[in-house]
Amino acid sequence: MNRVLVAEDEARIASFVEKGLRASGFTPTVVRDGTAALDLALSGEFDLLILDIGLPKMDGFTVLRRLRQERATLPVIILTARDSVTDTVAGLEGGADDYMSKPFRFEELLARVRIRLRDERSPEVTVLRHGGLALDLRTRRASVGSRTIDLTAREFLLTEVFLRNPGQVLSREQLLSLVWGYDFDPGSNVVDVYVRYLRRKLGADRIETVRGMGYRLADPDQ
Ligand code: CA
């Protein structure tokens, strides 16, 4: 239940969504036009479709209509332009399960993806762990050993991204895009600021700086 088809022609958004999904444990495939989107959506190879409305060759509404005509039950989340109420209503009436208006933060899309892909037969992991650090995704609590730690919403998201990619170096740009969104100022030092907050709360040696590359979640006991 983790194969996600992403139909988006704007490279920046497609790459933002693709990287975010991959970092969150999904297997994304990106297509750039409506014809390819419809072909793949009908292949039975996917669990969810994220569908932009403004696509070349065949627009998102047509893709959605043709998909539903084939009685395909694939869940669909449409991406609409900001404040386009008409698009949203038409999309939902056309058989979309949910919508996301642009610009959006990845976490908002991720929440919708998770709702659509929730499968009762295989309960998803609700506690992420690494080297004594644990993050409960349901109660939204962090702990180190037996100590419970309060995190702000943004600190929580940053911790979640690190825990989903243990031992991997994550660049500032990746972290910025995953936690703050694709339209955030790339020159911002907000990632460094929040890493400092997390080190204060979780332990100074919990997040390593990899010079010139980014940050890595470490296991201080190793
Ligand atoms: Ca578009």
Side-chain angles (χ1 to χ4, degrees), residues 4-23 26-33 37 49-56 79 102-104 106 109 113 177-178 181-183:
V4 180
L5 179 61
V6 180
E8 169 61 77
D9 58 319
E10 201 177 317
R12 193 171 60 122
I13 299 179
S15 140
F16 158 74
V17 171
E18 183 183 20
K19 284 180 193 155
L21 287 172
R22 210 174 286 288
F26 295 93
T27 308
T29 299
V30 174
V31 290
R32 309 271 187 209
D33 66 73
L49 168 62
I50 296 173
L51 178 64
D52 182 34
I53 293 300
L55 285 176
L79 303 180
K102 298 178 184 177
F104 55 87
F106 183 73
L109 178 64
V113 167
S177 148
L178 288 168
Y182 62 88
D183 52 351

Side-chain angles (χ1 to χ4, degrees), residues 195-215:
V195 164
R196 272 208 299 280
Y197 293 162
L198 283 188
R199 281 177 174 152
R200 222 172 284 159
K201 290 187 174 183
L202 306 177
D205 45 4
R206 183 69 59 183
I207 300 169
E208 288 174 358
T209 301
V210 182
R211 198 186 287 265
M213 294 177 73
Y215 294 107

Side-chain angles (χ1 to χ4, degrees), residues 52-69:
D52 182 34
I53 293 300
L55 285 176
K57 293 190 186 173
M58 186 189 292
D59 70 34
F61 289 131
T62 311
V63 173
L64 189 59
R65 200 177 59 241
R66 301 266 290 266
L67 194 61
R68 293 312 184 216
Q69 276 167 357

